[in-house]
Amino acid sequence: MNDVIKLILVDDEVLFRKGISFLLEREKNIKIIFEASNGNELIEFLKQSDEHPDIVITDLKMPTLNGVETTKILHNDFPHIKIIALTSYNTKSFVANMINVGAVSYLMKSTTPQELVTTINEVVSKGFYYNDYVMKIIHDNISVGKKMKSNFDTNYLTARETKILQLICEQKNTVEIADQLFISPRTVEGHRNNLLLKTESRNIAGLVVYAIQNEIVVIDDYS
């Protein structure tokens, strides 16, 4: 990727945070612009700085302001910033809660360095990146009725929009969708913006949840 991805790391475990920073700074397309020990430090930085990150990588359990509350604030006040959870907690409730409040990816601290770098690049490219475990939790959480279906009739979507939504759920980026459908990337972007408006989703991750809720995609592998 040509553009530099600006990151902020938020974790109260200083040694771990510095290790991740050292690891990521070795990537030519990644720049760490700030590190914080908790959500409050992050929010104060964002309010005072003219330079904002593309992605915030945050732990969940932190003093003062934890990762869940931090994600809620970012999602509302700084919606252009993507949030990746990087944590030791892998229970379904933690994952579902973070996705519900706005995280676009969820990783365990036991993940490999390459998986972390891949996730960062995929989030920038596609707007979200959910591995199989997280997708299964989203599917299961919806299946038991914890999330209500959208008020919109899915017939409100055109056939082209439905197809693009299905390809988004396959985690294809704009160029890949354009190539597959023989249309321009700009046309794909237009359809994607229409999807966001029609489904009242705030980001691409929200479109994935909408598609599963309304059975536009069926995740047979997770049943």
Side-chain angles (χ1 to χ4, degrees):
M1 299 181 71
N2 295 324
D3 295 334
V4 173
I5 302 169
K6 293 183 288 186
L7 289 181
I8 290 181
L9 303 177
V10 189
D11 197 305
D12 62 324
E13 298 179 22
V14 179
L15 187 61
F16 175 82
R17 192 178 74 228
K18 292 296 183 184
I20 294 297
S21 178
F22 176 76
L23 169 73
L24 294 179
E25 287 281 18
R26 296 167 63 187
E27 299 294 317
K28 293 181 179 179
N29 68 322
I30 292 176
K31 176 185 177 183
I32 309 297
I33 65 170
F34 186 66
E35 296 179 27
S37 296
N38 57 63
N40 276 346
E41 291 182 8
L42 168 65
I43 301 302
E44 285 303 311
F45 171 82
L46 294 176
K47 288 180 178 178
Q48 297 174 12
S49 175
D50 293 329
E51 184 177 30
H52 283 183
D54 301 296
I55 293 175
V56 165
I57 299 178
T58 183
D59 193 7
L60 295 191
K61 291 285 189 178
M62 298 181 294
T64 313
L65 191 67
N66 64 37
V68 175
E69 295 304 317
T70 299
T71 299
K72 288 180 182 178
I73 294 171
L74 290 180
H75 194 50
N76 288 323
D77 297 348
F78 304 95
H80 58 286
I81 298 175
K82 304 291 191 300
I83 303 120
I84 297 175
L86 181 61
T87 178
S88 301
Y89 300 91
N90 68 342
T91 58
K92 292 182 178 181
S93 60
F94 277 107
V95 177
N97 195 24
M98 279 297 285
I99 299 303
N100 285 340
V101 299
V104 300
S105 192
Y106 193 105
L107 292 174
M108 296 298 300
K109 286 186 174 180
S110 58
T111 193
T112 66
Q114 186 54 52
E115 285 172 332
L116 176 59
V117 171
T118 296
T119 297
I120 291 168
N121 285 304
E122 290 290 289
V123 163
V124 169
S125 173
K126 302 172 183 177
F128 76 104
Y129 186 68
Y130 297 146
N131 60 27
D132 289 347
Y133 177 68
V134 173
M135 286 292 282
K136 181 181 187 306
I137 290 173
I138 294 172
H139 178 267
D140 291 348
N141 199 38
I142 291 168
S143 297
V144 298
K146 291 184 179 178
K147 295 279 286 182
M148 297 297 292
K149 285 190 176 184
S150 168
N151 292 326
F152 282 103
D153 186 338
T154 53
N155 291 330
Y156 188 48
L157 303 182
T158 67
R160 177 67 81 185
E161 288 168 346
T162 300
K163 182 60 179 178
I164 287 175
L165 182 53
Q166 290 168 340
L167 292 173
I168 288 172
C169 291
E170 293 176 16
Q171 310 208 45
K172 295 185 182 298
N173 63 30
T174 298
V175 173
E176 290 168 337
I177 294 172
D179 288 345
Q180 183 164 334
L181 299 181
F182 303 104
I183 58 179
S184 71
R186 179 173 292 183
T187 300
V188 174
E189 292 288 349
H191 285 305
R192 189 168 67 178
N193 289 337
N194 286 338
L195 283 167
L196 290 168
L197 289 171
K198 287 184 176 182
T199 64
E200 296 186 326
S201 300
R202 296 188 61 177
N203 53 33
I204 301 304
L207 288 178
V208 175
V209 173
Y210 171 89
I212 298 172
Q213 286 174 335
N214 292 278
E215 299 177 350
I216 293 172
V217 293
V218 178
I219 311 178
D220 293 328
D221 293 342
Y222 302 151
S223 58

